[in-house]
C-alpha cells in the first residue's frame, strides 16, 4: 500500500510537471509571436507615417504648382518668392521622408523628385526672363501709339508721355525710348508758341514712327524667338510636374504595397496566436482530464486502502489491548502460584531431604525464579508499550540505592571471584528527587548482567556529576565477555541478545536492557554502551539531576500547623465515602476532632446538638447540595460565623459565586492534604487567602494510568491504610457500577448523573484521568441515552483494567 501512495504522488507530480511544461511552451510561443507582432505593428505604423508624409508631399506639390502657375501668369517677384519658399519646404519634407524609407530605389526616386523640383524652379526663372523681354515690345508699341497721339501737339516730351510705367521697362527698351524723347525735344522750338511748321512736324513724327517701327520689327522677330522658348519651357514645366507626380505615386504605391504586406503578416501572426491558444487549451483540457481521471482513480483506491488500514489499525489496537490485558492478567495470575512454588521450594530445601531431592528442589526454585523474572519483565514491557508506566518524584539517597542494589546482587554471585568497586562523588551525598524504584530496576538489570557475564575480575560502579551539573552519570564497568561491535545494536532490542550462544549458556529473555533503555528515556535520560569483545563492557546512564529542597518546606508546614494551640472540631460532609474518609483521616492525624457525614441532612441534625469550629462540605450531593446546606446552617442559632470550606469538582461556577453564597473559601477537587491543611492554617491565622480559580481549564495530557502520590500523602504513607482505602474504593466502585448499569438499562438520566458524580471524585483524586473524563460526560449529561450502553462498556473495561493493577498495590 505504501508503494501505491508513492505511485499516486508520482502521478500528481508528473501531472503538474506536464501542465507546467505546457504552460512554459505556450508562453514561449506566445512571447515569440508577440515579438513578431510588435515588430509588424512598428512597421505598419512606419508605413502609415510614410503614406501620411507622401500625402502631404502631394498636397505640397499641388500647392507648389499653383504658385508656379501664378508666378508665370503674373510674372511677379513676390509670387516667385512665395513659390521658392514653398519649393524649399517641399525639398525639406522629401529629405525627411528619405530618412525613413527602407529601399534604395525609393531613395533614388526621392532624389529624382528633388532634382525635378530644382529643374522646375530653374525653368520658371527662365520663363520669367522671357516674360520681361516680351514686355519690351509692348512698351515700343505703346510709344508708337503715343507718338501718333502727339502729332497734333508739340512740346517738351517725357518718358511718361510714351509709357505709364517707365521703371518697368527693360534696360534696352528704356534706353531706345529715352533717345527718341531726347531727339524730339531737340527739335521742338523754344519760342513761346512752341509750334513748328506742318512740314517740320510731319517730318519729325514720320522719322519717329519709322524708327519705332524698325524697333518693333526687331522686337517682333525677337518675340517669335521668345515665344518659341516660352512654349518650350511651358511644355518642359508640364513634363516636370507630370514626372514629379508620377514619381510620388510610385513611392506612394510601394509604401501602400509594403503596408498591405505587413498587414497580411500581422493577420497571419494573429491567426497563429489564436491557433496556439486554441491548441494549448485543448491540450491542457485533455491533460487535465487525463490526470484527473488517474488521480481520482488513485484517490478512490487510496480511500479504500485507508479504510483497510483503519480496519487493520483497529484490529491491531484491539490485539494490542488484548495482548496487554492477557499479559497483565496472566502475569498477575502467575505471580501468586509462582510465589507459592518458590516459598514451598525454600521450605522443602530447608527440610530433611536427600541429595537427589535437594537437586530437584533447586531446579524447581531456579526455574520458578526465572519464570517470575520473565513475568515481571513482560508486565513492565507491556506497561511501557501502553504508556501506563508510573513515574514518581520523591526524595532518595543515590549512594544508598547504588549500594543496596550492588551488594544484594553480589550476594547472589558470591561464588564468583569478582571485586566490587563503588565510587560516588561527594556532591551526590545530598538527597535527590526522582523515582528510586525505577532506578533500582535499571541498576538491577545492568549490574545483574555485569555479574552474569563476568567470571572473574571486577565490576566498577561510579557516580558523578555531568559537566553541565544538570545531569548525574552512573557507569557500570565489568571485565566480562564483552560484545562484538556488530552485535552491540541488538542488545537494546526486544527479545534479542548478542548471539544465540548467550541464551543457551547464560539464559535470559532479552527484555532487560530494552526495558532499561525505555525507562531511562521516560525519565529524560540516556543509556550508552562501550564494549570490547573479550575484554568487558561499560554502560553509562545519564539522568536529570534535581536536588531535594522540600524537606525544609515540609518542616515549615509542620511547624505552622503545630502552632495551633488547641485542636479544632470539624464537621466534614461528602457523599463519596472514600473521600470523606480521606479528609477525615488527614484532620485526625493533625489531632483534630472530626464528625463525618455522607449526607447534609444528617449533618444538620447532628449540628443542632454539637459545638463545632469548622465545616468542610461537598457541593454536589443528593437530597441537599452544599449551597442549600449553608443556607440552612445560617438560620440555626448554633451558627456563629464559623468558617465553611466548599469542596467541589464543579468547573462551571466562578469563585465569586461561592463567596456570595457565604463560603469562606473553595478547595477544588482533586486536592492534596497539604493544600487542605494550608487552607485551614491560613483561615485560623486570619491571613489573606489565595485566589482560587474554579473555572474549567485544559487538562494536562499524561501517559500515567493513575497516581497514588496524593493518596499516600493523605494516609501519611501508611501502607496498611492505603490497602484499606484501595479495597474500600474498589468495593464501593463495583457496587456503584452495578447501580449505574441498572440506571442505564432503565434510561434514568438523573440517576446516571448522580451515580457518575458520586464515583468520579475518587478517580480524579488518583489521577485516573481517562476514566474521570468518561464519568464527567455521564455526570454532566453530555451524552445521548442511546449511546449510554456503549459508554458504560468502555468505562467498565477501563475500570476493570485499572483495578487489576491496583490489586497489585494491595499486599
Amino acid at each position: 500500500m505504501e508503494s501505491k501512495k508513492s505511485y499516486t504522488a508520482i502521478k500528481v507530480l508528473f501531472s503538474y510537471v506536464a501542465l507546467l511544461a505546457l504552460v512554459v511552451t505556450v508562453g514561449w510561443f506566445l512571447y515569440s509571436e508577440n515579438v513578431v507582432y510588435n515588430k509588424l505593428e512598428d512597421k505598419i505604423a512606419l508605413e502609415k507615417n510614410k503614406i501620411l508624409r507622401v500625402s502631404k508631399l502631394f498636397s505640397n506639390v499641388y500647392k507648389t504648382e499653383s504658385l508656379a502657375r501664378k508666378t508665370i501668369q503674373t510674372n511677379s517677384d513676390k509670387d516667385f518668392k512665395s513659390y521658392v519658399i514653398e519649393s524649399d519646404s517641399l525639398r525639406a519634407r522629401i529629405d525627411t521622408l528619405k530618412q525613413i524609407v527602407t529601399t534604395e530605389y525609393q531613395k533614388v526616386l526621392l532624389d529624382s523628385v528633388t532634382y525635378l523640383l530644382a529643374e522646375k524652379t530653374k525653368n520658371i526663372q527662365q520663363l520669367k526672363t522671357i516674360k520681361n523681354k516680351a514686355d519690351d515690345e509692348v512698351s515700343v508699341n505703346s510709344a508708337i501709339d503715343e507718338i501718333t497721339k502727339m502729332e497734333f501737339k508739340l512740346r517738351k516730351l517725357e518718358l511718361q508721355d510714351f509709357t505709364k510705367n517707365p521703371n518697368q521697362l527693360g534696360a534696352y527698351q528704356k534706353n531706345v525710348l529715352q533717345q527718341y524723347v531726347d531727339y524730339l525735344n531737340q527739335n521742338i522750338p523754344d519760342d513761346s508758341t512752341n509750334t513748328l511748321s506742318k512740314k517740320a512736324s510731319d517730318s519729325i513724327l514720320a522719322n519717329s514712327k519709322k524708327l519705332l517701327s524698325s524697333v518693333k520689327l526687331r522686337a517682333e522677330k525677337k518675340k517669335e524667338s521668345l515665344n518659341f522658348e516660352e512654349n518650350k519651357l511651358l511644355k518642359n514645366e508640364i513634363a516636370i510636374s507630370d514626372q514629379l507626380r508620377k514619381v510620388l505615386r510610385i513611392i506612394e504605391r510601394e509604401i501602400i504595397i509594403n503596408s498591405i504586406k505587413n498587414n497580411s503578416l500581422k493577420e497571419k501572426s494573429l491567426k497563429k496566436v489564436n491557433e496556439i491558444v486554441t491548441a494549448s487549451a485543448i491540450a491542457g483540457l485533455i491533460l487535465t482530464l487525463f490526470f484527473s481521471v488517474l488521480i481520482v482513480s488513485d484517490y478512490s483506491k487510496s480511500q479504500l486502502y485507508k479504510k483497510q488500514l483503519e480496519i487493520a489499525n483497529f484490529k491491531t489496537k484491539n490485539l494490542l489491548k488484548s495482548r496487554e490485558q492477557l499479559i497483565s492478567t496472566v502475569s498477575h495470575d502467575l505471580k501468586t502460584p509462582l510465589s507459592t512454588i518458590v516459598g514451598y521450594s525454600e521450605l522443602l530445601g530447608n527440610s530433611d531431604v536427600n541429595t537427589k531431592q535437594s537437586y530437584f528442589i533447586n531446579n524447581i526454585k531456579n526455574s520458578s525464579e526465572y519464570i517470575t523474572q520473565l513475568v515481571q519483565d513482560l508486565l513492565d514491557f507491556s506497561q511501557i508499550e501502553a504508556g501506563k508506566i508510573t513515574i514518581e518524584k520523591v526524595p532518595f539517597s543515590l549512594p544508598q540505592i547504588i549500594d543496596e542494589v550492588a551488594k544484594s546482587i553480589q550476594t547472589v554471585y558470591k561464588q564468583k571471584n569478582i571485586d566490587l568497586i563503588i565510587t560516588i562523588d561527594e556532591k551526590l551525598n545530598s538527597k535527590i528527587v526522582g523515582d528510586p524504584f525505577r532506578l533500582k530496576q535499571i541498576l538491577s538489570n545492568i549490574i545483574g548482567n555485569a555479574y552474569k557475564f563476568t567470571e572473574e575480575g571486577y565490576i566498577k560502579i561510579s557516580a558523578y556529576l555531568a559537566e553541565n551539573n544538570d545531569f548525574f552519570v552512573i557507569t557500570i564497568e565489568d571485565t566480562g565477555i564483552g560484545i562484538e561491535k556488530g552485535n552491540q545494536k541488538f542488545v537494546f532490542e526486544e527479545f534479542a541478545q548478542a548471539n544465540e550462544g548467550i541464551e543457551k549458556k547464560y539464559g535470559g529473555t532479552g527484555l532487560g536492557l530494552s526495558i532499561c533503555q525505555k525507562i531511562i528515556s521516560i525519565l529524560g535520560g540516556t543509556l550508552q554502551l562501550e564494549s570490547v569483545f573479550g575484554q568487558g563492557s561499560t554502560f553509562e546512564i545519564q539522568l536529570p539531576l534535581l536536588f531535594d529542597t522540600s524537606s525544609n518546606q515540609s518542616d515549615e508546614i509542620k511547624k505552622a500547623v503545630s502552632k495551633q494551640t488547641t485542636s479544632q472540631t470539624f464537621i466534614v460532609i461528602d457523599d463519596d465515602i472514600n473521600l470523606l474518609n480521606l479528609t477525615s483521616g488527614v484532620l485526625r492525624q493533625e489531632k483534630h476532632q472530626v464528625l463525618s457525614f455522607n449526607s447534609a441532612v444528617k449533618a444538620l441534625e447532628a449540628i443542632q446538638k454539637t459545638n463545632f469550629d469548622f465545616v468542610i462540605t461537598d457541593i454536589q450531593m443528593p437530597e441537599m447540595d452544599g449551597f442549600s446546606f449553608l443556607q440552612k446552617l445560617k438560620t440555626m442559632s448554633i451558627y456563629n460565623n464559623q468558617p465553611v470550606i466548599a469542596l467541589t469538582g464543579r468547573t462551571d461556577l466562578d469563585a465569586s459565586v461561592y463567596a456570595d453564597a457565604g463560603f469562606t473559601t473553595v478547595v477544588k477537587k482533586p486536592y492534596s492534604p497539604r493544600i487542605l491543611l494550608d487552607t485551614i492554617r491560613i483561615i485560623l491565622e486570619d491571613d489573606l487567602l489565595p485566589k482560587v480559580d474554579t473555572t474549567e481549564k485544559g487538562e494536562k495530557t499524561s501517559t500515567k494510568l493513575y497516581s497514588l502520590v496524593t493518596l499516600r500523602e493523605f494516609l501519611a504513607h501508611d501502607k496498611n491504610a492505603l490497602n484499606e482505602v484501595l479495597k474500600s474504593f474498589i468495593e464501593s466502585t463495583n457496587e456503584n457500577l452495578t447501580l449505574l448499569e441498572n440506571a442505564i438499562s432503565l434510561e434514568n438520566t438523573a440517576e446516571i448523573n448522580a451515580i457518575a458524580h458520586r464515583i468520579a471524585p475518587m478517580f480524579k483524586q488518583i489521577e485516573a484521568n481517562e476514566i474521570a473524563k468518561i464519568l464527567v460526560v455521564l455526570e454532566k449529561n453530555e451524552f445521548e441515552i442511546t449511546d449510554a450502553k456503549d459508554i458504560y462498556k468502555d468505562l467498565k473495561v477501563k475500570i476493570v483494567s485499572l483495578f487489576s493493577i491496583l490489586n497489585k498495590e494491595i499486599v
Side-chain angles (χ1 to χ4, degrees):
M1 279 187 259
E2 186 177 349
S3 63
K4 291 284 183 184
K5 285 186 178 180
S6 302
Y7 187 57
T8 303
I10 290 171
K11 287 181 181 178
V12 173
L13 179 62
F14 184 73
S15 66
Y16 279 116
V17 171
L19 290 173
L20 180 62
L22 177 63
V23 170
V24 171
T25 305
V26 171
W28 172 254
F29 278 114
L30 291 177
Y31 172 75
S32 303
E33 288 301 318
N34 185 54
V35 171
V36 173
Y37 183 82
N38 288 334
K39 288 181 179 179
L40 288 174
E41 282 285 339
D42 293 339
K43 286 183 179 180
I44 290 169
L46 183 62
E47 295 301 325
K48 287 181 179 178
N49 188 24
K50 289 179 185 178
I51 292 171
L52 183 61
R53 287 175 181 269
V54 171
S55 299
K56 288 182 178 180
L57 281 178
F58 270 112
S59 177
N60 288 347
V61 166
Y62 287 126
K63 188 175 180 181
T64 304
E65 288 182 350
S66 176
L67 289 173
R69 291 192 191 96
K70 187 177 180 182
T71 302
I72 292 170
Q73 290 173 359
T74 61
N75 198 28
S76 170
D77 291 335
K78 183 180 178 181
D79 293 337
F80 180 72
K81 187 177 181 181
S82 298
Y83 165 76
V84 171
I85 292 171
E86 188 64 30
S87 180
D88 291 339
S89 174
L90 184 58
R91 275 194 291 271
R93 290 180 183 276
I94 291 171
D95 291 338
T96 305
L97 184 60
K98 275 178 63 178
Q99 295 175 2
I100 61 174
V101 295
T102 54
T103 63
E104 289 297 326
Y105 177 67
Q106 291 176 349
K107 290 180 181 180
V108 170
L109 290 175
L110 288 173
D111 287 338
S112 67
V113 171
T114 305
Y115 172 75
L116 290 173
L117 283 172
E119 286 294 318
K120 189 173 183 178
T121 303
K122 184 178 176 182
N123 199 27
I124 290 171
Q125 284 178 339
Q126 291 177 359
L127 281 171
K128 193 172 181 300
T129 302
I130 292 171
K131 282 278 186 180
N132 288 333
K133 289 181 180 180
D135 287 342
D136 293 345
E137 181 184 350
V138 173
S139 298
V140 173
N141 289 332
S142 296
I144 294 172
D145 292 338
E146 287 298 325
I147 291 171
T148 304
K149 291 177 183 179
M150 289 166 43
E151 286 180 341
F152 300 100
K153 49 184 176 179
L154 289 172
R155 57 179 177 83
K156 291 282 186 180
L157 303 175
E158 294 179 355
L159 289 176
Q160 287 81 355
D161 294 330
F162 297 94
T163 180
K164 292 180 179 180
N165 297 310
N167 292 328
Q168 293 181 358
L169 297 176
Y172 173 75
Q173 292 91 337
K174 190 175 182 181
N175 184 41
V176 172
L177 189 58
Q178 186 63 47
Q179 289 179 5
Y180 175 67
V181 170
D182 291 340
Y183 172 76
L184 291 177
N185 286 333
Q186 288 176 4
N187 292 285
I188 294 175
D190 293 329
D191 58 351
S192 58
T193 61
N194 196 24
T195 58
L196 294 175
S197 63
K198 185 171 179 56
K199 185 178 181 180
S201 299
D202 291 338
S203 177
I204 293 169
L205 293 173
N207 289 328
S208 297
K209 285 183 178 181
K210 184 178 180 181
L211 176 63
L212 290 174
S213 296
S214 175
V215 172
K216 181 180 178 182
L217 182 61
R218 287 197 299 272
E220 286 178 352
K221 290 182 179 180
K222 190 173 182 181
K223 182 180 178 181
E224 290 178 1
S225 176
L226 289 173
N227 286 336
F228 178 76
E229 290 294 329
E230 183 179 358
N231 290 331
K232 183 179 178 181
L233 289 173
L234 285 172
K235 289 179 181 179
N236 191 27
E237 165 68 16
I238 293 169
I240 289 171
S241 296
D242 291 340
Q243 183 67 23
L244 182 60
R245 284 191 291 272
K246 183 179 179 182
V247 170
L248 289 176
R249 286 194 187 96
I250 291 171
I251 294 172
E252 184 182 36
R253 186 170 59 253
E254 285 195 359
I255 292 172
I256 291 171
I257 290 170
N258 287 334
S259 179
I260 292 170
K261 183 179 178 182
N262 289 331
N263 279 324
S264 177
L265 291 174
K266 177 183 173 182
E267 289 178 0
K268 287 182 180 179
S269 177
L270 287 173
K271 186 177 180 182
K272 189 173 181 181
V273 168
N274 187 39
E275 289 174 353
I276 291 171
V277 171
T278 304
S280 61
I282 294 170
L285 180 61
I286 292 171
L287 283 174
T288 303
L289 291 173
F290 176 70
F291 286 114
S292 296
V293 169
L294 287 180
I295 292 167
V296 167
S297 174
D298 285 346
Y299 178 75
S300 61
K301 290 179 182 178
S302 66
Q303 290 299 309
L304 179 62
Y305 298 146
K306 183 180 178 181
K307 288 181 180 178
Q308 292 175 353
L309 280 173
E310 288 175 351
I311 294 169
N313 186 39
F314 179 75
K315 290 180 178 178
T316 303
K317 284 182 178 179
N318 286 337
L319 286 172
L320 289 173
K321 193 173 182 180
S322 300
R323 187 195 72 171
E324 179 190 341
Q325 291 177 350
L326 176 64
I327 292 174
S328 177
T329 304
V330 171
S331 300
H332 183 265
D333 292 343
L334 285 173
K335 271 188 173 183
T336 302
L338 282 171
S339 300
T340 304
I341 293 170
V342 171
Y344 280 113
S345 298
E346 289 181 356
L347 290 175
L348 283 172
N350 295 329
S351 63
D352 188 12
V353 293
N354 57 37
T355 305
K356 190 174 183 180
Q357 290 171 333
S358 177
Y359 173 76
F360 292 155
I361 292 168
N362 285 332
N363 284 337
I364 293 171
K365 183 180 178 182
N366 291 335
S367 298
S368 300
E369 289 176 351
Y370 174 77
I371 295 173
T372 302
Q373 184 60 42
L374 174 60
V375 168
Q376 186 60 48
D377 286 346
L378 285 171
L379 185 61
D380 289 338
F381 179 75
S382 175
Q383 287 182 333
I384 291 170
E385 287 294 303
K388 295 180 180 179
I389 185 172
T390 56
I391 302 298
E392 293 185 333
K393 287 189 177 182
V394 296
F396 67 92
S397 172
L398 181 63
Q400 182 181 351
I401 293 292
I402 294 174
D403 190 69
E404 285 179 1
V405 173
K407 289 184 178 176
S408 65
I409 295 173
Q410 185 184 33
T411 57
V412 176
Y413 295 94
K414 57 186 177 181
Q415 73 277 8
K416 289 188 177 183
N417 185 24
I418 300 173
D419 294 329
L420 177 63
I421 305 168
I422 300 176
T423 306
I424 299 174
D425 192 338
E426 292 181 356
K427 295 178 181 178
L428 294 173
N429 288 334
S430 300
K431 283 191 175 183
I432 62 175
V433 178
D435 193 330
F437 174 75
R438 297 301 173 189
L439 183 58
K440 283 182 180 180
Q441 188 177 4
I442 294 165
L443 292 174
S444 296
N445 267 297
I446 297 176
I447 296 173
N449 283 342
Y451 270 100
K452 184 190 294 185
F453 298 115
T454 303
E455 296 300 327
E456 60 179 3
Y458 65 87
I459 292 174
K460 184 178 180 181
I461 304 171
S462 303
Y464 54 90
L465 289 174
E467 292 181 0
N468 55 9
N469 292 330
D470 292 332
F471 291 82
F472 67 90
V473 181
I474 301 174
T475 59
I476 298 99
E477 181 183 354
D478 63 59
T479 56
I481 61 175
I483 304 170
E484 295 178 354
K485 192 169 184 66
N487 294 328
Q488 290 179 14
K489 59 184 178 181
F490 296 118
V491 298
F492 296 111
E493 293 183 4
E494 300 88 353
F495 305 102
Q497 293 184 333
N499 54 62
E500 295 179 358
I502 296 290
E503 183 180 1
K504 293 178 180 179
K505 183 176 180 181
Y506 298 98
T509 62
L511 281 174
L513 289 178
S514 175
I515 292 171
C516 288
Q517 189 180 49
K518 291 180 184 297
I519 293 174
I520 290 171
S521 178
I522 293 170
L523 293 172
T526 58
L527 175 62
Q528 295 180 349
L529 166 65
E530 290 184 4
S531 182
V532 179
F533 185 67
Q535 298 182 17
S537 304
T538 301
F539 286 87
E540 181 183 281
I541 304 166
Q542 191 174 84
L543 293 170
L545 175 62
L546 179 63
F547 286 105
D548 178 34
T549 57
S550 62
S551 58
N552 294 332
Q553 294 177 0
S554 298
D555 293 341
E556 289 175 4
I557 292 171
K558 289 178 182 178
K559 289 177 182 178
V561 175
S562 66
K563 285 181 182 179
Q564 301 170 18
T565 55
T566 58
S567 64
Q568 306 290 315
T569 300
F570 281 83
I571 302 294
V572 181
I573 309 167
D574 200 321
D575 62 328
D576 187 335
I577 191 66
N578 296 301
L579 286 178
L580 179 64
N581 292 335
L582 289 175
T583 305
S584 301
V586 169
L587 295 173
R588 289 191 180 99
Q589 288 174 8
E590 300 301 324
K591 310 302 181 185
H592 295 298
Q593 299 295 322
V594 181
L595 298 176
S596 57
F597 303 91
N598 62 356
S599 168
V601 176
K602 292 179 181 179
L604 286 172
E605 292 174 358
I607 285 172
Q608 293 177 354
K609 305 174 184 179
T610 306
N611 292 322
F612 63 93
D613 301 306
F614 234 106
V615 178
I616 300 174
T617 178
D618 188 19
I619 293 298
Q620 286 181 277
M621 294 180 291
E623 297 184 80
M624 183 184 293
D625 64 9
F627 291 104
S628 300
F629 165 78
L630 183 56
Q631 288 178 353
K632 293 282 186 182
L633 180 63
K634 287 180 179 180
T635 62
M636 299 175 69
S637 59
I638 199 169
Y639 178 68
N640 191 23
N641 291 326
Q642 290 94 332
V644 181
I645 298 176
L647 297 177
T648 183
R650 293 183 65 171
T651 57
D652 57 337
L653 297 177
D654 191 72
S656 60
V657 176
Y658 298 95
D660 294 340
F663 287 101
T664 308
T665 188
V666 183
V667 174
K668 188 176 178 181
K669 295 180 181 180
Y671 55 91
S672 66
R674 182 179 298 174
I675 292 173
L676 181 62
L677 294 175
D678 280 350
T679 304
I680 294 170
R681 177 182 59 79
I682 292 170
I683 293 172
L684 290 174
E685 294 180 357
D686 200 20
D687 284 346
L688 183 65
L689 284 165
K691 186 177 179 181
V692 180
D693 187 4
T694 60
T695 56
E696 186 172 6
K697 293 183 177 179
E699 296 183 4
K700 294 181 180 178
T701 57
S702 174
T703 57
K704 297 189 296 183
L705 181 63
Y706 69 96
S707 174
L708 301 179
V709 174
T710 57
L711 194 59
R712 288 192 179 100
E713 289 179 6
F714 269 113
L715 302 171
H717 297 280
D718 187 337
K719 186 69 176 176
N720 293 328
L722 177 65
N723 290 342
E724 291 299 323
V725 169
L726 290 177
K727 286 178 181 178
S728 174
F729 170 53
I730 292 170
E731 289 175 2
S732 62
T733 302
N734 287 330
E735 291 174 1
N736 283 316
L737 281 176
T738 303
L739 296 174
L740 181 61
E741 186 177 12
N742 292 333
I744 290 172
S745 63
L746 296 173
E747 297 186 357
N748 188 342
T749 306
E751 185 67 16
I752 294 171
N753 301 154
I755 296 170
H757 168 71
R758 188 162 59 246
I759 62 178
M762 192 62 185
F763 284 101
K764 291 179 182 178
Q765 193 67 45
I766 65 172
E767 297 182 26
N769 297 323
E770 195 173 356
I771 296 172
K773 285 180 182 178
I774 299 174
L775 290 170
V776 168
V777 170
L778 295 174
E779 177 188 355
K780 293 184 177 181
N781 202 21
E782 297 174 350
F783 65 96
E784 297 291 336
I785 194 67
T786 54
D787 300 330
K789 290 184 179 180
D790 293 333
I791 295 173
Y792 174 77
K793 287 179 182 178
D794 186 32
L795 175 66
K796 188 171 182 180
V797 168
K798 286 181 168 56
I799 290 176
V800 169
S801 177
L802 173 65
F803 285 175
S804 67
I805 298 172
L806 285 178
N807 282 321
K808 299 171 189 175
E809 302 278 357
I810 302 171
V811 180

